[in-house]
Amino acid sequence: MNAAALRERLRSRTVQLSLAAVLAAALAAIFLSITITGDSVPVRSRFVAGTPEKGKPVQLDTSLYLPASTPAPAVLLSQGFGGDKHDLDSEARSFARRGYVVLTYSARGFGRSGGLIHFASPGYEVHDGTLLIDYLANLRQVRHVGGRPLVATAGASYGGALSLLIAAADPRVRAVAADVTWNDISHALFPNFGGSGPGVYKRLLAGALFANGFPDVPDSTQPAARPPRVTDGSVSCGRFAPAVCAAYQSSAAAGEPTRAMRRLMRQASPATVINRIHAPTLLTQGEQDSLFPLSEADANARALAANGTPVRVVWRAGGHDTASGGGTAISEAESWFADVFEGHVGTAQPFRFSEQAGVVSAATGDAAQQTLQAAAYPGIAGTPQRADTVEVSGPPQPVNAPAGGSPAAITSIPGLVGISPRIDQALTLSPSAPGQVATFSSPRLRHSVLLAGAPTVRLVITAQRSPDVTLFAALRDLAPDGTTTLPAQLVAPIRLTGMRPGVPRAVTVRLPSVVRNVHAGHRLVLTVSTTDFAYAMPQQARTYTVALEHASAPVTIPTASGNPINAGHPVAWLVVGAACCLLVAGAVGFVLIRRRLVLKPDPALAGVPVSIKSLVKEYKGGYRAVDDVSFRVEPGQVVGLLGPNGAGKTTALRVLVGLITPTSGAVHVFGQPIVPGASVLARVGAFIEGPGFLPHLTGRENLHLYWAATGRAETDAEFDTALEIAGLGRSVDRRVRTYSHGMKQRLGIAQAMLGLPELLVLDEPTNGLDPPQIAEMREVLKDYARTGRTVVVSSHLLAEVEQTCTHVVVMHKGRLVAAGATVEIAGAGGVQLAVPDPAEAKRVLATAGIGAELVPARRALEDVFLDLIGDEQ
């Protein structure tokens, strides 16, 4: 960094805080004053006897949540695979606040529960569920009707399957809510959407699933737990039952299910017992889920409806591939149970689904979602009245399958569905693996199509030499600008066995079940690939020919329509919005007027960047984050605010920039009192509590957008200086969602320095920076202060503060323990050599040819800091 050039720019510039930041500070005065109190749901933990294992007792770790009024209906809440009862705490509290007795538990083999994992076995996990219902039935807090307890089962993923299996095994279950779960687990682990026989092994997700059976850390409270280790060349089974472990390992090695694995999957699948479920059932399924797609909920729904069981289906945003959407499932379950227990559920149930609303979210850059409701569930195949066809065309195309499937296309990465579209070049019209993809395209659509379900198409496959075929089909949305989108990042695996080399076979392929609004002017593109990173591929290289059944073939598109839920009348919303704006404006005005009547400018402090006197910030309950703190900061100083976690540093800085109001005391910046929206804040640049940027914009675009909100000329922003400080190079033109934490940190500091403010306030600015970047930032702050500007910085890196800051303020438990020049505070104490006559000592050393100067003894700032705050942290 050119420090001289930076100093030259700093001499002539001042900064104004953005209008947006001023407004945010004003609003914060209102909204940050709201205290959220912890709920008072009583919780009781105890161990309940589970199904014995080999004659030995097994204890299940449970927690009981009680509502305000009892007796009440009960909910047995089951966990996801790899979790324990603690993962269900927020859901349990939500149910309890709605008036339900809730029992959560750690399934056998997980958490502190004993036993081994038999994977939803009827004789173990399912029987444990009936024992837990016995426990609930004996509680006086649980309501009984006709001598039977009112009990519902609920859970997500593994817990959702257990909820269905327990309901099939125990007629006392009156209602079920199963979220993102399976109908037949073999469809999830070995899917096949167009062939016959065993499907394609989903190795990525199956491996992740199996890994959840191993505890991360050995725990003495878990008597059955064993850390994974390799012994005599074989992998230990963790907390899995040996038979389950052996079946999985054999199937993973073979790439297809063994007889033992098929038996295990069959007994763990609701499909085998769903005809025994008579309790009204809610099925919520995620639209972004490559493990248990919408087709699994569809199979459950069709089977329940055929049995005469009332069933409601909801396709929600989220799923296993993303963390969002869980709140929707809980709210739907709470409403469902209320309807069931009040007797308001019939066989005809509405269908709800989530779709893109056509607007872009400012927070994520993705299309916003809205929930629509239709009168009835159409199924993933749609209905004759709710279906469309789109013609795709293209010649027969040879495709190559590389040995072992490498290199492979990457489509879905569980948990990273927001990133996967950015690497969606592996199966586009210009594939990264040439020769692996066959492509068939439609003309531009004349009207928009809401795809809701599983499209189907007829393909003709020819294997040149191999007796079987493995392929992956998908339907993509191609925009006029060439951007391609794979809906939900889902592909349909196809495996064909018994192929005769050179002999074509026609097959109907069911493409992935998705919800996608394809706009007019776009094209639908059918791609068929030989590889996918998430699946196991043949070890030998192969060549296939992929063709349509005719030169132009129809793709059947199931569609749906519905009315937005809680949309309301636009005029009504306009009135409500206007009222809210007036209310907020009035509250802001009241706060500002009240504060300004109390606080007045101090002309004597007009040249002082920061003056804090007797500052107190107390929260409800009597906790004082800042307690009677006073200090001042002079022009040209770099002041380090030091203290352990919880010392009150960030709270003091938030008061300083007007984000929160103090309980008492006075804060002045350049002689002006600080209140939210104070005009003097236009001379302050701040970076507090980490960076916040629009992730879909580049770093450069974020800086320009921030500055544009101030209404000032671009020439005043000093973008070049800020970008030089950021040191991001070409990465400044990448989207921020791809940035590391350190890159975001540097961009945040650059944003705070836009316009080169007179007072710069930075909270932990070196977090995430590497040593060279920290050293560079040190020089930037020093140069900044040499121009007469002022820097206040909080940090826990004491060595950096010692090298960077001219002065330090030390806080501990909200109070000020020291303030002054760094050299004075660090210079206090130390070991000195007693010399009766220093001048004589220097003469003697000089005679010996040794030059000498007397210097004061000095300790490291870290030693002084530890002395100041004492042993108690």
Side-chain angles (χ1 to χ4, degrees):
M1 178 175 294
N2 190 330
L6 175 62
R7 281 194 294 272
E8 182 62 28
R9 288 170 180 162
L10 290 172
R11 288 191 181 98
S12 61
R13 312 304 307 165
T14 58
V15 72
Q16 293 183 1
L17 192 66
S18 75
L19 182 61
V22 173
L23 179 58
L27 293 176
I30 303 169
F31 296 117
L32 291 177
S33 66
I34 299 174
T35 301
I36 301 176
T37 59
D39 65 52
S40 57
V41 175
V43 183
R44 304 174 185 174
S45 295
R46 62 165 293 176
F47 284 92
V48 175
T51 307
E53 191 143 359
K54 293 184 177 179
K56 297 181 179 179
V58 169
Q59 297 293 313
L60 302 177
D61 185 19
T62 72
S63 289
L64 184 69
Y65 297 74
L66 297 175
S69 177
T70 59
V75 177
L76 178 63
L77 199 53
S78 299
Q79 74 197 46
F81 197 77
D84 61 25
K85 69 173 188 177
H86 299 291
D87 300 330
L88 304 171
D89 180 72
S90 62
E91 292 91 336
R93 292 181 184 275
S94 180
F95 275 121
R97 286 192 292 269
R98 288 290 295 267
Y100 296 98
V101 174
V102 184
L103 183 66
T104 65
Y105 67 104
S106 297
R108 64 171 50 235
F110 293 104
R112 298 183 63 196
S113 290
L116 298 175
I117 302 167
H118 293 264
F119 202 81
S121 165
Y124 290 95
E125 285 87 357
V126 177
H127 190 253
D128 287 342
T130 65
L131 294 177
L132 292 171
I133 293 177
D134 289 343
Y135 170 69
L136 286 170
N138 290 321
L139 294 177
R140 59 178 176 80
Q141 294 92 343
V142 175
R143 181 183 301 166
H144 288 64
V145 174
R148 296 170 57 191
L150 285 182
V151 177
T153 58
S157 191
Y158 184 63
L162 285 175
S163 297
L164 291 168
L165 293 166
I166 293 168
D170 196 322
R172 293 175 294 179
V173 175
R174 305 290 188 94
V176 181
D179 183 41
V180 291
T181 195
W182 65 84
N183 169 260
D184 188 333
I185 190 67
S186 67
H187 295 164
L189 302 183
F190 300 91
N192 196 353
F193 286 77
S196 58
V200 186
Y201 175 46
K202 197 182 290 183
R203 63 179 180 182
L204 183 64
L205 282 165
L209 189 69
F210 181 75
N212 284 326
F214 293 93
D216 293 330
V217 179
D219 188 342
S220 60
T221 66
Q222 301 174 10
R226 297 289 185 272
R229 62 181 183 274
V230 177
T231 307
D232 298 330
S234 62
V235 181
S236 94
C237 291
R239 300 188 72 175
F240 281 99
V244 176
C245 181
Y248 168 77
Q249 291 179 351
S250 299
S251 300
E256 60 182 52
T258 62
R259 180 178 300 177
M261 187 67 176
R262 290 195 197 97
R263 183 170 58 250
L264 185 151
M265 293 190 295
R266 189 164 51 250
Q267 71 177 16
S269 296
T272 60
V273 294
I274 204 160
N275 61 331
R276 304 178 195 169
I277 299 178
H278 301 288
T281 301
L282 169 70
L283 300 171
T284 52
Q285 204 78 1
E287 294 174 4
Q288 291 82 37
D289 201 318
S290 54
L291 181 58
F292 306 131
L294 298 176
S295 53
E296 292 299 297
D298 181 71
N300 280 329
R302 286 187 288 107
L304 287 166
N307 196 41
T309 300
V311 58
R312 179 182 295 172
V313 179
V314 176
W315 293 352
R316 66 171 177 83
H320 283 86
D321 293 350
T322 178
S324 66
T328 300
I330 293 300
S331 62
E332 289 282 359
E334 291 172 347
S335 298
W336 177 249
F337 290 157
D339 288 346
V340 172
F341 290 132
E342 291 171 9
H344 298 158
V345 171
T347 54
Q349 288 296 319
F351 166 56
R352 293 175 183 165
F353 63 101
S354 178
E355 65 113 8
Q356 295 169 346
V359 296
V360 175
S361 165
T364 66
D366 297 324
Q369 299 284 322
Q370 67 175 350
T371 300
L372 302 180
Q373 180 167 298
Y377 175 60
I380 60 171
T383 64
Q385 296 77 25
R386 303 305 313 172
D388 205 342
T389 58
V390 175
E391 296 284 330
V392 295
S393 60
Q397 299 166 50
V399 290
N400 298 314
S406 181
I410 301 175
T411 52
S412 65
I413 301 177
L416 299 179
V417 77
I419 295 176
S420 296
R422 296 349 181 232
I423 57 174
D424 190 28
Q425 296 302 310
L427 277 174
T428 64
L429 298 180
S430 301
S432 61
Q436 291 188 18
V437 185
T439 302
F440 308 94
S441 180
S442 76
R444 296 187 187 277
L445 300 184
R446 295 182 179 180
H447 58 85
S448 295
V449 174
L450 179 55
L451 193 168
T456 57
V457 65
R458 292 278 291 175
L459 294 177
V460 177
I461 313 295
T462 305
Q464 302 303 325
R465 292 181 296 274
S466 58
D468 59 90
V469 170
T470 299
L471 293 168
F472 304 90
L475 193 63
R476 298 170 180 273
D477 179 356
L478 178 62
D481 63 0
T483 303
T484 181
T485 302
L486 176 61
Q489 296 304 109
L490 296 180
V491 297
I494 307 165
R495 188 174 185 202
L496 305 174
T497 57
M499 296 290 290
R500 295 172 59 190
V503 178
R505 181 188 293 185
V507 296
T508 299
V509 176
R510 191 185 77 207
L511 297 165
S513 304
V514 296
V515 177
R516 174 76 181 179
N517 199 348
V518 185
H519 299 290
H522 288 218
R523 301 177 189 267
L524 286 175
V525 178
L526 173 67
T527 57
V528 184
S529 171
T530 58
T531 63
D532 191 282
F533 178 73
Y535 295 83
M537 265 77 70
Q539 294 302 305
Q540 300 79 25
R542 298 165 176 210
T543 300
Y544 315 125
T545 299
V546 180
L548 300 172
E549 193 169 34
H550 304 286
S552 179
V555 177
T556 301
I557 306 291
T559 64
S561 64
N563 298 316
I565 294 180
N566 297 329
H569 195 280
V571 175
W573 279 113
L574 183 62
V575 172
V576 171
C580 289
C581 289
L582 290 173
L583 182 62
V584 169
V588 170
F590 172 76
V591 171
L592 298 182
I593 292 172
R594 185 188 66 178
R595 293 284 296 164
R596 284 173 175 153
L597 289 174
V598 175
L599 302 176
K600 297 180 180 180
D602 187 342
L605 298 175
V608 179
V610 176
S611 172
I612 295 179
K613 295 180 181 179
S614 304
L615 177 64
V616 173
K617 180 58 182 177
E618 182 173 300
Y619 293 95
K620 290 184 178 180
Y623 171 69
R624 286 198 171 189
V626 179
D627 187 6
D628 195 24
V629 168
S630 300
F631 65 89
R632 14 184 317 162
V633 179
E634 302 293 340
Q637 291 182 348
V638 180
V639 177
L641 193 58
L642 300 179
N645 289 336
K649 306 186 300 296
T650 299
T651 301
L653 293 184
R654 294 178 72 196
V655 172
L656 175 60
V657 298
L659 288 177
I660 58 176
T661 57
T663 304
S664 62
V667 179
H668 288 81
V669 171
F670 297 111
Q672 299 298 315
I674 291 300
V675 294
S679 60
V680 73
L681 290 174
R683 302 165 68 181
V684 180
F687 174 69
I688 295 178
E689 293 185 322
F693 299 107
L694 296 178
H696 65 290
L697 298 183
T698 67
R700 187 188 305 275
E701 289 168 342
N702 267 283
L703 293 183
H704 279 268
L705 181 63
Y706 173 84
W707 189 254
T710 70
R712 299 175 62 193
E714 281 202 9
T715 53
D716 295 335
E718 294 287 351
F719 285 115
D720 291 341
T721 303
L723 293 175
E724 189 175 3
I725 291 168
L728 293 172
R730 294 181 179 178
S731 296
V732 75
D733 291 312
R734 281 170 37 199
R735 293 187 178 186
V736 169
R737 66 170 37 158
T738 68
Y739 281 18
S740 66
H741 176 73
M743 295 168 70
K744 293 178 182 177
Q745 194 81 358
R746 283 183 281 157
L747 188 63
I749 295 170
Q751 179 174 284
M753 297 180 78
L754 281 177
L756 309 181
E758 295 175 67
L759 172 62
L760 187 62
V761 180
L762 305 175
D763 184 22
E764 300 282 359
T766 56
N767 274 357
L769 303 187
D770 56 32
Q773 293 164 350
I774 292 175
E776 190 175 35
M777 185 56 60
R778 180 194 311 149
E779 296 306 312
V780 168
L781 297 182
K782 288 181 179 178
D783 288 340
Y784 201 86
R786 289 189 185 108
T787 65
R789 288 171 171 80
T790 305
V791 180
V792 177
V793 54
S794 75
S795 179
H796 65 280
L797 300 177
L798 301 182
E800 278 309 310
V801 169
E802 188 169 10
Q803 296 180 68
T804 305
C805 298
T806 60
H807 293 71
V808 294
V809 173
V810 184
M811 295 181 64
H812 183 48
K813 294 184 177 179
R815 299 186 66 85
L816 183 75
V817 295
T822 306
V823 292
E824 294 176 358
I825 291 180
V831 178
Q832 302 187 41
L833 179 65
V835 179
D837 188 347
E840 178 63 18
K842 288 181 64 176
R843 187 188 65 77
V844 172
L845 291 172
T847 302
I850 302 173
E853 291 294 336
L854 292 177
V855 296
R858 184 177 178 206
R859 296 187 299 166
L861 182 61
E862 181 177 2
D863 298 329
V864 178
F865 176 78
L866 293 175
D867 284 348
L868 288 171
I869 67 172
D871 294 332
E872 183 182 357
Q873 297 292 312

